[in-house]
Amino acid sequence: MQMNDRGASTAVGYVLTLGITLLLVVTLLSVSVSLVEDERSKAVHSELSVLGNRLAAELTTADSMVRAADAPGTVTVRATLPDRVANGQYRLSIDERAATGAFYRYRIVLVSDVADTSVAVHLKTGTEIAETTVGGGPVVVTYDDGTDTLEVDA
C-alpha cells in the first residue's frame, strides 16, 4: 500500500455513509407520506359518515313534522353541515332506491373532493324526497305542498 491511498478510504467511507443515510431518509419519508394519506382518508370517511347520518336525521325530522302537521306547507328544517371536510369540498346527493308500501327508501351519498372517498347512508321516510345533488354546506329541507315532496336545497 502506498502513502497516498489512505486518504481515499476516508472519502469512500464518507460517501457510503451519506448514501446510506439518504436511502434511510427517503424510505422513512415515503412511508410517512403513505401513512398520512391513509389516516386522512379514514378521517374523511368518518366525517362524511357523521354528516350523512346528521342529514338523514334532519330529513326524518322533517318527514315526521309533515306527517303530523295540519298545514305541512310551512315545514322547514335547516341542517347546519360544514362547508368543508378535511380542508376540501364535498357534495351530497339523494336518490330513491325503492318505494315499498307507505314508505320510500333513499340513499344519501356524500363524496369528498380531497380523498377519493364516498359514503352512503340509507334512509326510510313516509314522505317522498326529491332527488337532488348539492354542494356541501348548510342545507334547507322544505316541504312542497304542490308535489307532496321534501326538497333539499343549499
Side-chain angles (χ1 to χ4, degrees):
M1 199 180 246
Q2 296 183 7
M3 285 295 271
N4 57 2
D5 288 342
R6 289 187 191 171
S9 65
T10 304
V12 169
Y14 181 72
V15 169
L16 284 175
T17 302
L18 281 177
I20 291 170
T21 303
L22 181 63
L23 180 64
L24 287 173
V25 168
V26 167
T27 303
L28 287 173
L29 285 175
S30 67
V31 167
S32 65
V33 165
S34 175
L35 287 174
V36 167
E37 286 298 319
D38 288 345
E39 290 302 314
R40 184 176 190 167
S41 179
K42 288 178 187 176
V44 168
H45 187 274
S46 175
E47 196 167 347
L48 288 177
S49 179
V50 168
L51 296 177
N53 285 312
R54 189 186 310 170
L55 180 59
E58 297 294 349
L59 286 165
T60 302
T61 299
D63 174 47
S64 298
M65 291 170 64
V66 165
R67 291 190 291 147
D70 292 334
T74 60
V75 171
T76 300
V77 176
R78 296 187 194 312
T80 55
L81 304 176
D83 294 330
R84 303 174 79 70
V85 171
N87 207 20
Q89 295 184 342
Y90 68 99
R91 63 190 175 285
L92 58 95
S93 62
I94 300 172
D95 61 348
E96 184 177 357
R97 304 311 294 166
T100 56
F103 292 100
Y104 301 92
R105 296 183 187 274
Y106 293 94
R107 182 178 67 164
I108 302 170
V109 179
L110 294 96
V111 180
S112 170
D113 293 341
V114 175
D116 291 331
T117 304
S118 66
V119 173
V121 176
H122 298 277
L123 168 70
K124 183 170 69 171
T125 63
T127 307
E128 192 172 355
I129 301 172
E131 294 185 15
T132 187
T133 300
V134 295
V139 295
V140 177
V141 179
T142 54
Y143 176 70
D144 184 352
D145 208 14
T147 60
D148 193 31
T149 59
L150 291 171
E151 297 180 350
V152 178
D153 293 313

